[in-house]
Amino acid sequence: MTDQAHPDRLAKVEALRAQGIDPYPARGVAATPIGELLVGAGTPEAPGALVGTRVTVAGRVQLLRDFGKLVFAPLQDRTGRLQVGLERDKLTEWWPQRKLLDGADLVGVTGTLGHTKKGEPTVWAEVVTLLAKAVAPPPEKWHGLVDKELRYRRRYVDLWASEGVADVFVKRSKTLGTIRKYLESEGYLEVETPTLHPIAGGAAARPFVTHHNALDSDLYLRIAPELYLKRLVVGGLERVFEISRNFRNEGLSVRHNPEFTMLELYEAQADYRRMLEIAEQIVERCALAVNGTTKVTFRGAEYDLKAPFPRVGYTDLFREKNGFDFDDAAKVKRRAQELELHVVADPWKLMNDVFEATCEDTLSGPVFVVDYPVQICPLAKQKPGDPRIAERFELYVAGMELGNAFSELNDPAEQQRRFEEQVATKDPEAPGEVDWDYVQALEYGMPPAGGLGIGIDRLVMVLTGQDSIRDVLLFPAMKPESRGSRGELEKNAAPKP
RNA sequence: GGGCGCGUAGCUCAGCCGGUAGAGCAACUGGCUUUUAACCAGUAGGUCGACGGUUCGAUCCCGUCCGCGCUCACCA
């Protein structure tokens, strides 16, 4: 046991066993969800259909309000909270066990649904079944878990002890469901591609490295599913999407977690103009599904996610904010020095750094930044009539990048050339070698296609008004607990006295 | 990685100028059949994140380390 197990509660486990009661029975009870019981209870003035009937409720004991011969105990399940009334006179057989019941225990209660004198819906208990004894005490009943470290480390407590936490994850699930439903209605196929990649491609990021023993080869956890999904477009699947966990071995912040969820989709015969429409549809539909409105409040500001979103040209915005054109390398360098940016060797990366420093914060959004310099888009197709520009856009809300899309490059020779350029930079964020298999896939012919990626965690942040990505991840990345740290798990290896 | 801040009872938090610690909730004992954070009386619970230093004496001052938060950097 850990040091969370409380001696009083452990003693109660023994007392229950001594009475022949299993504190951890093998079977649960068939219970009606509390949400349905609350509807069925109605109010004292307008009683619902279930009032006076025998019902079973199962949940976690939130509180015990003990009046001696009467105990009120609100139970909570995934659908809500409903109190049970435990009366000595109706529970003569069970009553001696009353002192063995604690807050946070899981119980099933069968009884008659009704109301108290004050009008509170209540199940008046006839049978009480302990479903699982909590030997670790619950957090303080009014504040819940406040300490962020404890909240993230013990999400299994945070979810039921802190107000509104579970709701964020219900909304996250609705977001994913809405996306799946919409894309399926558009004829998309949901697919699963490898997580272990021999080459870390499809994005620029430092990868996690692992090793496969039987194949004796190093593998990378995927930084993006992009190149596999486009292979499927070559394979004729034409409209595919994947909701993919990606891994990037980089810093943590309120917008970054080393593993994060990305929606990527690819559509044959489409280009980035169609992707604009899909991105708008996804964001708007998810907002409506989750909140019933397109208006959201995020980081203290209001946003309306109603389609269509405005478009602004990357190069236009660059010129507006900096007073010169993006491809004037000398001025870019001077500007970077003015801004006290770290002046990197790659002039195009430097240009984009200047863009991010001067433009990104101004993109309150929702807004699409469209038409990027081709040099920072190694997988995107050039714009017809302007070879300096790639058909690419990014979607911004609150200065935060939510999505990224382009008309996919499908010329194998051009793709090979750009891969070789990337590899030559020796950048730790660039792939270490040319993905020849992907070049070969393009040699078989990929139809013109548009592709779109949307950061699901960030989308959920905006939809639920959470400032930090950690609050939309059930188990955000944390350092493992270790000796001397505060949340130490003291393993009780020695036999008990 | 840098800066700032935090770590005290199971939880939420006090603790002044250095003199080995308090409250509320939870727990335990007793009372109470209508509460909504029930109430009343009593009891128990602490290596003050870890290790070192200064000091007659350290929760408090100093150093190192661990963990967390915010922030900057990094992050197509």
Side-chain angles (χ1 to χ4, degrees), chain A residues 456-472:
Chain A
I456 296 297
D457 312 287
R458 291 179 177 183
L459 175 60
V460 174
M461 284 169 68
V462 171
L463 295 178
T464 59
Q466 297 298 315
D467 289 354
S468 170
I469 194 169
R470 316 179 70 131
D471 292 314
V472 301

Side-chain angles (χ1 to χ4, degrees), chain A residues 297-351:
Chain A
T297 303
F298 181 65
R299 294 191 171 143
E302 280 232 355
Y303 301 92
D304 193 342
L305 303 178
K306 188 168 175 51
F309 308 152
R311 282 85 162 132
V312 52
Y314 181 103
T315 57
D316 297 337
L317 187 60
F318 188 98
R319 191 183 313 110
E320 183 193 322
K321 296 291 175 193
N322 292 295
F324 57 90
D325 279 325
F326 71 98
D327 54 357
D328 188 334
K331 285 186 176 169
V332 164
K333 190 169 178 183
R334 201 176 319 140
R335 183 84 169 117
Q337 285 162 341
E338 271 170 35
L339 294 164
E340 298 181 349
L341 299 178
H342 175 62
V343 178
V344 293
D346 181 346
W348 296 107
K349 188 168 176 353
L350 190 63
M351 175 219 63

Side-chain angles (χ1 to χ4, degrees), chain A residues 93 202 228 239 315 330 371 383 453 465 476:
Chain A
E93 205 171 302
Y228 284 93
R239 294 185 182 200
T315 57
D371 293 340
K383 202 175 177 67

Side-chain angles (χ1 to χ4, degrees), chain A residues 466-484:
Chain A
Q466 297 298 315
D467 289 354
S468 170
I469 194 169
R470 316 179 70 131
D471 292 314
V472 301
L473 295 168
L474 283 165
F475 299 100
M478 306 276 280
K479 274 216 175 184
E481 291 177 292
S482 61
R483 257 203 114 57

Side-chain angles (χ1 to χ4, degrees), chain A residues 210-241:
Chain A
T210 187
H211 186 80
H212 191 290
N213 292 337
L215 299 177
D216 189 24
S217 51
D218 284 336
L219 293 167
Y220 303 93
L221 270 57
R222 67 176 159 202
I223 57 173
E226 171 148 355
L227 299 181
Y228 284 93
L229 291 171
K230 287 196 279 198
R231 283 173 171 95
L232 298 179
V233 175
V234 173
L237 297 185
E238 292 191 340
R239 294 185 182 200
V240 292
F241 77 95

